[in-house]
Amino acid sequence: MDPDPRFVRDDVARALREDGAAADLTAALIPDFAARAAIVCRQDAVLCGVPWVEESFCQLSPDIELEWSTAEGAGITADTTVCQLRGPARQLLQGERVALNFLQLLSATATQTRQLAQRLEAYPCMLLDTRKTLPGLRYAQKYAVQCGGGSPHRASLAEAVLIKENHWAVLPNLEAAITAARARHPHARIMVEVESLEQLRQAAQARPDIILLDNFSPTQAREARAQCPDIPLEASGSVNETNLAAYADTGVARISVGALTKNVRAIDFSMRLKRG
């Protein structure tokens, strides 16, 4: 998949402004000459963020050329040179940190997703992300999840109806709320999150499109599947790499994992520059 260039441009422009790239006091000391650079990945990973890296340098200079040796979404081993660059030294230095920040974050998201997605290969179960993303980078992180083999949950509050515990607390009637939601938004998915088997029974009577099992154990999720065989169930909360397969084995159709985007640990990339 190719990311929407509008989001990439906006993400990069915001990041370059934040970093004061155009007013780099240190790069201003560098004579105006051409240079070469190489981006190296220091650990095993899934490469993700190529469009953001290219845009980071493109916005600083049209004369910077990039040559990638690894494709977006491909696995790489430690100490692999993933990209060679050539162009004006000042602009290469101005864009270095922003480009590497996108690369380390999005590759981390894709890498973590790939690790979990591989654990689900034997099951007919979708791995989904959540809205627990870094502020301002939701589109980029959800793109990275897909590069890693995961699927996107709703991207925003405007995309689907999801009745959670705080909605339950103030809604007078769940069935009436779902009926109203279908009337107002006939093309939107209707989802209900439940915290107990009793709530599951109430939700099933209201007939949403999907029921989310919040912090159910695998044993509880299996019981929920037995009680509710005709509505897709989604396990959410308390899911990690050690118990992911146990949840998939219960028969749930979907598993959403907030850690895909909120608990990422940056992949180690570096860029080295020399006269060209």
Side-chain angles (χ1 to χ4, degrees):
M1 57 169 281
D2 294 321
D4 188 325
R6 296 171 299 174
F7 286 96
V8 178
R9 284 195 299 267
D10 289 348
D11 286 347
V12 168
R14 185 172 61 250
L16 290 173
R17 287 196 303 271
E18 176 183 64
D19 207 33
D24 185 344
L25 301 181
T26 313
L29 303 174
I30 305 299
D32 187 14
F33 64 83
R36 294 182 180 274
I39 297 177
V40 179
C41 182
R42 301 298 184 188
Q43 61 190 103
D44 294 354
V46 173
L47 183 69
C48 184
V50 167
W52 282 262
V53 173
E54 293 181 341
E55 184 66 20
S56 295
F57 291 109
C58 178
Q59 289 193 19
L60 290 167
S61 171
D63 298 323
I64 295 177
E65 300 175 355
L66 296 88
E67 182 178 350
W68 295 88
S69 59
T70 304
E72 182 87 327
I76 46 179
T77 56
D79 299 319
T80 295
T81 297
V82 297
C83 185
Q84 300 279 357
L85 304 91
R86 189 178 189 282
R90 290 178 186 170
Q91 283 74 27
L92 284 170
L93 289 166
Q94 289 170 343
E96 174 187 2
R97 186 70 265 155
V98 165
L100 293 183
N101 282 351
F102 281 116
L103 202 57
Q104 69 185 23
L105 170 66
L106 300 185
S107 294
T109 302
T111 300
Q112 184 159 270
T113 303
R114 179 74 51 83
Q115 291 169 351
L116 296 189
Q118 288 174 341
R119 292 174 180 264
L120 291 179
E121 288 178 348
Y123 302 95
C125 181
M126 295 175 60
L127 175 67
L128 299 106
D129 57 23
T130 70
R131 287 169 38 249
K132 296 174 182 176
T133 54
L134 294 180
L137 290 175
R138 178 171 297 167
Y139 179 87
Q141 281 196 285
K142 282 181 169 285
Y143 163 82
V145 166
Q146 293 179 75
C147 276
S151 300
H153 213 292
R154 59 175 182 164
S156 73
L157 295 171
E159 189 173 290
V161 175
L162 174 49
I163 299 173
K164 304 182 72 173
E165 73 280 358
N166 286 326
H167 301 101
W168 275 76
V170 294
L171 282 173
N173 184 283
L174 180 63
E175 289 191 49
I178 289 178
T179 298
R182 291 198 192 283
R184 295 178 183 180
H185 314 291
H187 302 296
R189 286 172 301 162
I190 311 295
M191 300 178 282
V192 175
E193 181 183 82
V194 301
E195 297 179 317
S196 67
L197 291 173
E198 175 55 34
Q199 283 191 338
L200 173 74
R201 286 187 282 273
Q202 295 178 51
Q205 290 177 358
R207 307 302 299 173
D209 298 309
I210 299 167
I211 297 177
L212 278 66
L213 310 177
D214 183 41
N215 285 303
F216 277 45
S217 68
T219 299
Q220 292 171 319
R222 191 179 298 278
E223 176 61 23
R225 177 73 284 170
Q227 293 190 20
C228 186
D230 58 342
I231 298 177
L233 300 183
E234 176 181 323
S236 180
S238 302
V239 182
N240 55 54
E241 62 181 8
T242 63
N243 61 23
L244 185 69
Y247 277 100
D249 195 49
T250 66
V252 296
R254 300 148 55 102
I255 300 177
S256 54
V257 182
L260 295 180
T261 53
K262 74 182 181 73
N263 292 353
V264 293
R265 183 173 182 177
I267 298 297
D268 187 4
F269 286 91
S270 65
M271 189 176 96
R272 290 293 181 266
L273 196 76
K274 61 182 179 181
R275 283 181 177 268

